[in-house]
Amino acid sequence: MTLSGKRILLIIGGGIAAYKALDLIRRLRERGVVVRAVMTAAAREFVTTLSVGALSADHVFTDLFDRNDEHDVGHIRLSREADLVVVAPATADLMAKLANGHANDLASTVLIATDKPVLMAPAMNPKMWSHPATRRNRATLQKDGVAFVGPAKGEMAESNEAGEGRMAEPLEIVAAIEALLDSRPKPLAGRKIIVTSGPTHEPIDPVRYIANRSSGKQGHAIAAALARLGADVRLVSGPVGIADPAGVTTLHVETANEMKDEVEKLLPADAAVFAAAVADWRSETSADEKIKKVAGEGPPALQMIENPDILSGVGHHRKRPSLVVGFAAETRDLVRNAEAKLAKKGADFIVANDVSHEGGVMGGDRNRVRIVSKAGVDEWPEMSKDEVATRLAALIAERLKTVVV
Ligand code: CTP
């Protein structure tokens, strides 16, 4: 997908992340995109119109009632001349304004006047992001067709707080823009696909949990690749440090039981891909209070019980999707173990990867997989997790072609 020649209207909201908008403009212009910027009054407290204008090589629009601007371009033309409107950073205020139809400055007026798709990259303090008002606004905006990229979890620039609210990185925003402007045929349009990704956290007490090293990169990349092919993707993600993929509805869970409940609520679906590294066991009990060290008593004995197998549950479900894809992370006897899982879990494919492989699949960016099905074993060369995702999405599209919607 090439972005060359595309026109983007970038609305820069007021927040520390506004400095990342400068890099975003650079990245877009490197790709031949024509960027025109609108800055809110708050944005101008963080970066200057001079920097934004220099990078975009265009006039920067700031005022709704600027006679010159209205005479030359006008807010309606400004909102329609682009192929896409991108809001980065999208503040809680800008989200609230659009969700409720306010139009009292240039940015909010352009957003409500446009007939083009809108992509928002939220950035705010984690408390503001998790506030019911912001969550409500986000749900409204999604229903209205606004696309989102991020936010990610991480350290906040302005405080020692960590949590969800950090703006997606400029290259993630570029990828989301590419996905939205991609006009190639969408073989998975009209297909609902469930994807699980990331680890699960199984609590021991309020501060401790059992986890694993899964980063969620592969599962998230698969969700994004399926969305690029037009699928309605529902990603059920365990706790990860990466942004929600663009164009995907992401549900966040902590434990295997929560993941299972969300996945089952999402049935029926056309396909399901189980990329999550679900904890096989959990502590039978989770203490309400932090477990204290008691002198002379030694460490507590954890009584472990098995978690439900989500893949197997769906693979044998009465509402089983037409296509069920599982993963197998093995350190030895890769193909034999994957074949056994195929049968036991009721999957059509198992994407088998050797986790003993050099460089470490878990957390890394590359992967070498084999696709195990009843038809045999297909060995794929080592490639990036994004490439594995793209190929797997194409394979899923191919397999679903013969299934009537
Ligand atoms: N899986 C699942 N629910 C679980 C455990 C695993 O949905 N409770 C799914 C994973 O998402 C993956 C597949 O099952 O698609 C294989 O998981 P893996 O951990 O490799 O297999 P296990 O069946 O747990 O076998 P083992 O750990 O003995 O290799």
Side-chain angles (χ1 to χ4, degrees):
M1 158 81 200
T2 166
L3 286 176
S4 183
K6 296 285 183 199
R7 288 160 311 167
I8 286 178
L9 182 69
L10 174 66
I11 297 179
I12 306 175
I16 290 180
Y19 77 91
K20 286 196 203 169
L22 298 176
D23 191 32
L24 176 62
I25 297 173
R26 260 192 53 223
R27 305 286 188 173
L28 289 169
R29 295 209 57 222
E30 274 166 15
R31 288 162 175 76
V33 177
V34 179
V35 183
R36 181 161 259 191
V38 168
M39 294 177 76
T40 64
R44 281 176 279 143
E45 300 287 332
F46 292 91
V47 287
T48 65
T49 51
L50 201 63
S51 327
V52 173
L55 287 167
S56 63
D58 196 357
H59 176 69
V60 178
F61 295 80
T62 52
D63 289 315
L64 183 55
F65 300 112
D66 184 308
R67 285 221 178 80
N68 290 333
D69 287 356
E70 276 301 298
H71 185 260
D72 284 348
V73 187
H75 62 273
I76 302 290
R77 236 179 83 195
L78 191 60
S79 72
R80 309 241 168 114
E81 271 182 356
D83 297 301
L84 176 72
V85 180
V86 176
V87 191
T91 57
D93 182 57
L94 278 172
M95 287 176 62
K97 278 183 170 159
L98 184 59
N100 294 288
H102 290 256
N104 63 350
D105 60 5
L106 184 62
S108 52
T109 307
V110 162
L111 280 169
I112 203 167
T114 191
D115 56 358
K116 296 299 181 329
V118 175
L119 171 70
M120 285 192 160
M124 64 194 77
N125 173 278
K127 291 257 171 358
M128 292 169 77
W129 177 247
S130 61
H131 192 283
T134 309
R135 287 177 24 198
R136 224 169 25 239
N137 290 334
R138 187 197 186 189
T140 305
L141 291 168
Q142 273 182 321
K143 232 186 303 146
D144 292 346
V146 173
F148 281 87
V149 52
K153 265 192 190 161
E155 294 285 326
M156 293 292 113
E158 83 280 18
S159 62
N160 303 332
E161 272 174 87
E164 213 172 343
R166 203 176 67 183
M167 188 166 91
E169 293 304 321
L171 284 180
E172 287 168 340
I173 302 177
V174 170
I177 292 170
E178 277 173 344
L180 280 168
L181 293 180
D182 194 346
S183 55
R184 283 173 294 187
K186 306 258 192 261
L188 288 173
R191 301 293 195 180
K192 178 176 163 188
I193 304 186
I194 303 168
V195 179
T196 70
S197 181
T200 62
H201 285 182
E202 309 297 333
I204 296 170
D205 68 17
V207 296
R208 303 181 178 96
Y209 55 82
I210 300 165
N212 59 63
R213 294 187 195 280
S214 167
S215 64
K217 282 182 189 166
Q218 186 64 83
H220 278 53
I222 292 166
L226 291 165
R228 283 199 295 275
L229 296 186
D232 168 10
V233 182
R234 311 298 171 94
L235 173 65
V236 185
S237 171
V240 292
I242 55 177
D244 292 352
V248 167
T249 306
T250 306
L251 299 151
H252 296 272
V253 297
E254 295 272 332
T255 66
N257 268 322
E258 286 166 10
M259 189 174 273
K260 172 179 177 282
D261 288 349
E262 288 300 339
V263 166
E264 285 182 354
K265 269 193 258 166
L266 289 168
L267 292 173
D270 295 289
V273 182
F274 295 87
V278 184
D280 288 322
W281 308 282
R282 67 176 184 275
S283 168
E284 186 168 22
T285 52
S286 160
D288 292 335
E289 304 283 344
K290 186 180 168 204
I291 303 170
K292 303 294 287 178
K293 287 193 294 287
V294 181
E297 272 195 15
L302 283 184
Q303 180 62 41
M304 305 289 275
I305 57 167
E306 207 167 313
N307 267 329
D309 190 314
I310 308 169
L311 163 58
S312 183
V314 171
H316 298 104
H317 204 278
R318 61 187 171 82
K319 291 189 201 160
R320 182 190 191 278
S322 319
L323 191 63
V324 174
V325 180
F327 272 68
E330 308 290 350
T331 51
R332 58 178 191 182
D333 295 333
L334 183 68
V335 172
R336 203 156 55 84
N337 279 324
E339 279 168 347
K341 272 175 200 167
L342 192 69
K344 193 175 84 188
K345 300 200 181 203
D348 298 288
F349 291 124
I350 292 284
V351 182
N353 55 18
D354 182 351
V355 283
S356 65
H357 147 77
E358 229 178 289
V361 173
M362 289 234 171
D365 290 322
R366 298 187 72 75
N367 207 353
R368 206 181 124 213
V369 302
R370 277 168 240 219
I371 308 295
V372 181
S373 70
K374 273 200 198 117
V377 181
D378 191 7
E379 204 163 318
W380 290 0
E382 186 185 305
M383 55 184 105
S384 73
K385 286 185 175 175
D386 281 331
E387 285 163 334
V388 169
T390 304
R391 265 181 89 154
L392 189 65
L395 181 65
I396 291 171
E398 189 55 39
R399 283 292 294 250
L400 284 181
K401 235 183 7 201
T402 51
V403 179
V404 182
V405 185

